[in-house]
Amino acid sequence: MRISKREAFLLFILAFVGIIGMMIAFLILPMLNELDANKAVLSELEVRKLVIDTTLPNEANLKKQLDDKLIEVSSVLHAFESPINEAQFEYWVLPLTTKYDMRITNTDFVEMSANSPVAIDTVPSDVFYPIRDIVDKYHEVVAEEIEIPTTSSLLVLSQYTYEVNTTYARYVYFLDAVRDWKTSILISNSSYNFEDATASFTFDLYALEQLLPKDIEKEYTSDIIAGGSGKGDPNEDPHPEGGK
């Protein structure tokens, strides 16, 4: 089969166009797409360089601001105790039980867990005076509603329960002493049994890992000399004038 010069020329033109099309599809277009992507990356890097060039002269000042914020946040976190174990918690309790000559009869510890702090869910009710209600109604006095604070923040909660033999006066002394700790260790439940002279204390310890150590850390490694007989004068005044 013979091909004329005209047909050969047309085949050459077709092949040339095909080669050009393949070069455009598989070489030029990918290179153009890559070029556009590199231009976008270059633009982003130029913006970053501008930020760095603007920030770099203020590096020392920014570092100081960061350090100040760290100290500020840490001071807020120090309102809460650091998480401690059962043995460490005894460094808080045993000096008091020894001071008030309490004999510990039972202990119970609940493992740490993440919880939201819980406020009291009941409030003391006012004494009922019918005559006062009549007067308040006459003066259109509106009773104030007490709102219980709530939070969704999570803290580490661990619970420690102690049962002791002691007098009622020393039971009151103990409660007052724990209140004076002014920490995130709270007595969430407590009772005193006058028949057998026993008391129970349930401590809620709300804790949080600290960013920076406290200026004054509690010593948890020294030896504890603890003990108590659980006895005492049952007629001892729990609120003597002038304190304990």
Side-chain angles (χ1 to χ4, degrees):
M1 180 178 180
R2 300 184 64 183
I3 300 176
S4 63
K5 291 182 178 180
R6 184 173 178 275
E7 292 174 338
F9 180 73
L10 292 175
L11 289 175
F12 172 77
I13 294 298
L14 181 62
F16 181 76
V17 171
I19 292 173
I20 295 298
M22 293 179 64
M23 289 180 63
I24 292 174
F26 297 103
L27 183 62
I28 296 177
L29 287 180
M31 291 180 64
L32 290 175
N33 292 335
E34 184 178 358
L35 179 61
D36 291 338
N38 289 336
K39 286 181 178 179
V41 173
L42 177 61
S43 178
E44 181 182 353
L45 292 176
E46 287 176 343
V47 172
R48 292 184 182 181
K49 180 178 180 298
L50 178 62
V51 173
I52 293 174
D53 291 341
T54 305
T55 307
L56 194 58
N58 298 321
E59 180 183 7
N61 185 40
L62 293 174
K63 186 177 184 302
K64 183 179 183 306
Q65 291 181 10
L66 180 61
D67 293 339
D68 291 343
K69 286 295 182 183
L70 178 60
I71 295 174
E72 181 181 345
V73 172
S74 180
S75 65
V76 175
L77 297 184
H78 284 168
F80 302 96
E81 292 295 326
S82 299
I84 57 177
N85 56 37
E86 295 91 335
Q88 291 172 322
F89 185 74
E90 290 186 341
Y91 280 81
W92 288 88
V93 176
L94 293 186
L96 283 185
T97 58
T98 302
K99 177 180 179 180
Y100 299 122
D101 198 26
M102 296 177 173
R103 182 168 66 88
I104 298 175
T105 58
N106 188 41
T107 59
D108 183 49
F109 307 107
V110 178
E111 293 294 332
M112 298 180 184
S113 62
N115 283 273
S116 294
V118 179
I120 58 173
D121 54 9
T122 58
V123 294
S125 59
D126 293 333
V127 179
F128 181 68
Y129 295 112
I131 187 65
R132 191 189 67 177
D133 293 341
I134 296 174
V135 174
D136 288 345
K137 185 177 180 180
Y138 175 79
H139 290 287
E140 297 182 350
V141 175
V142 179
E144 180 182 358
E145 294 184 0
I146 300 177
E147 295 184 3
I148 298 176
T150 59
T151 179
S152 58
S153 301
L154 289 178
L155 298 174
V156 175
L157 171 64
S158 50
Q159 288 186 320
Y160 311 88
T161 300
Y162 285 79
E163 295 179 2
V164 300
N165 289 122
T166 188
T167 64
Y168 177 73
R170 296 177 186 183
Y171 164 74
V172 175
Y173 296 167
F174 187 94
L175 293 176
D176 290 342
V178 173
R179 180 193 58 194
D180 292 339
W181 285 348
K182 300 186 185 304
T183 67
S184 56
I185 302 175
L186 311 172
I187 293 182
S188 59
N189 188 33
S190 179
S191 63
Y192 186 81
N193 188 321
F194 286 92
E195 292 184 357
D196 53 11
T198 60
S200 67
F201 308 94
T202 298
F203 297 87
D204 283 0
L205 168 57
Y206 287 103
L208 196 63
E209 291 290 349
Q210 306 294 317
L211 295 178
L212 295 176
K214 293 183 180 180
D215 294 335
I216 301 177
E217 292 284 355
K218 191 172 183 66
E219 175 60 48
Y220 290 116
T221 58
S222 59
D223 294 334
I224 303 178
I225 300 176
S229 65
K231 300 177 181 179
D233 183 2
N235 297 319
E236 186 178 2
D237 185 359
H239 301 287
E241 185 178 356
K244 305 173 185 57

